[in-house]
Amino acid sequence: MTRIDDVARLAGVSTATVSRALRGLPTVSAATRRRVLAAAEQLQYAVSPSASRLAGGRTGTVAVVVPRITRWFFGVVVEAVEDFLHQAGYDLLLHNLGGREQTRQRVLRTTNLHKRVDGIMLVATPLRAPELAFLGALELPGVTVSSGTSVPGWPCVRIDDVAAARTATRHLLDLGHRRIAHISGDPDDELAFTTHLDRRRGYREALRAAGVRPDPSLDIESRFDVDGGSRATEELLRRGDPPTAIFAACDEMAMGALTALRDAGLRVPDDVSVVGIDDHALSGVLGLTTIAQSATDQGLLGVKILLGALSGRPVDPLCAGAADGPVILPTRLVVRESTAPPRAH
């Protein structure tokens, strides 16, 4: 039976180069790749994934850790990462924390990741001191995606959440709204998100820049999901003197706000305008004005940076500056039917 050593000998390269060439990694020149493929075809070599990985001293697997896979953003990131890893000849080991403390401790403090994976991607997973120490001791390449996650020495890919929130709030201000509510994340949420802190900061900065004093009664915390947005909006309406506009920290919360406003007999945007952040897959269907971010692009750039660290050279030109600070991807305002000037009284 033909072995990888035979292919390497015929092609005049190392077994590690054969492994990389057959997996399609970018660290092999086009000429070398053609030579390896020709040798493999001539010898009728059938690639053994385990042999290919062992030749480079690697597992051929990347771990991706997400807070909750059922959330839109995380699902899109994982799908993009898995597709790219598959094309590059890698497997994905998914760890879905799901708000379970036992799972979190097993993954981030005790699991033998260094024996199972070549690198780690953390997606919107804020870390505690023992978890940081654990990941540092692994001495594995890593990357973080989305704000709120920081590991010393690991590159980060994210958007500017403060700027995104400023843009959303400024859109409402430019329409003439002054009584603008903000639905933010709950600091006691089991997922321990911190993204909402930056988005609240952007909201307040935009108000102050327009000469509007932030009203604490219009700033309410809730869970980062549809139900959380609905409950927060119901609370806002119970407080009396309702806002003319709502800026929700994510599209799912904004969707909850739309539902609560409809149930209360209020029309959007005639009575209340609503804007979110994400450009969720359903936002266009619901006519939701939002700040669009690309979860796919963030996931792709994150995995390219990680594979670049494993191969020793950038996989994408954007990856080159990743070691110098966060790679900030752009956002854009998408105006739909959920926002309009406040109704004249």
Side-chain angles (χ1 to χ4, degrees), residues 128-325:
R128 304 159 186 166
E131 296 165 348
L132 279 170
F134 170 74
L135 291 175
L138 292 177
E139 297 184 344
L140 288 173
V143 65
T144 66
V145 173
S146 188
S147 59
T149 305
S150 179
V151 180
W154 285 20
C156 175
V157 178
R158 61 180 178 84
I159 65 168
D160 186 335
D161 287 289
V162 177
R166 277 200 302 263
T167 300
T169 308
R170 191 162 51 237
H171 169 65
L172 296 172
L173 290 164
D174 290 345
L175 288 172
H177 294 278
R178 290 298 179 268
R179 192 163 175 78
I180 302 171
H182 177 47
I183 302 174
S184 183
D186 184 351
D188 295 326
D189 190 315
E190 62 181 8
L191 300 182
F193 288 131
T194 60
T195 300
H196 66 279
L197 299 177
D198 285 338
R199 295 181 182 179
R200 173 183 279 139
R201 175 182 158 195
Y203 157 75
R204 291 175 176 174
E205 286 182 357
L207 290 180
R208 293 191 181 100
V212 178
R213 184 176 180 179
D215 184 347
S217 70
L218 295 178
D219 192 342
I220 188 167
E221 297 172 341
S222 192
R223 289 175 58 90
F224 232 66
D225 56 21
V226 175
D227 185 60
S230 179
R231 290 176 181 273
T233 304
E234 291 169 357
E235 174 61 26
L236 282 170
L237 297 179
R238 279 195 294 268
R239 292 178 179 181
D241 194 11
T244 64
I246 295 174
F247 161 46
C250 72
D251 278 2
E252 290 183 46
M253 299 182 87
M255 292 173 191
L258 294 176
T259 299
L261 292 169
R262 180 199 62 200
D263 291 347
L266 296 174
R267 295 172 297 170
V268 176
D270 295 344
D271 299 313
V272 183
S273 287
V274 178
V275 62
I277 290 182
D278 277 337
D279 203 20
H280 186 287
L282 295 178
S283 295
V285 177
L286 298 174
L288 177 65
T289 295
T290 186
I291 304 297
Q293 64 167 324
S294 176
T296 295
D297 287 350
Q298 290 178 66
L300 281 176
L301 189 54
V303 72
K304 288 178 180 179
I305 289 173
L306 187 54
L307 293 191
L310 290 172
S311 65
R313 58 186 291 186
V315 178
D316 185 291
L318 284 175
C319 303
D324 301 325

Side-chain angles (χ1 to χ4, degrees), residues 86-152:
H86 177 73
Q87 294 173 28
Y90 278 82
D91 294 324
L92 181 147
L93 177 62
L94 176 64
H95 288 291
N96 175 34
L97 302 183
R100 298 180 293 270
E101 184 61 29
Q102 184 178 6
T103 302
R104 184 183 182 103
Q105 290 211 18
R106 179 177 59 80
V107 173
L108 296 175
R109 295 181 66 173
T110 60
T111 190
N112 292 324
L113 281 176
H114 64 289
K115 297 179 180 179
R116 305 174 65 191
V117 301
D118 297 329
I120 305 171
M121 175 186 289
L122 296 179
V123 184
T125 306
L127 299 173
R128 304 159 186 166
E131 296 165 348
L132 279 170
F134 170 74
L135 291 175
L138 292 177
E139 297 184 344
L140 288 173
V143 65
T144 66
V145 173
S146 188
S147 59
T149 305
S150 179
V151 180

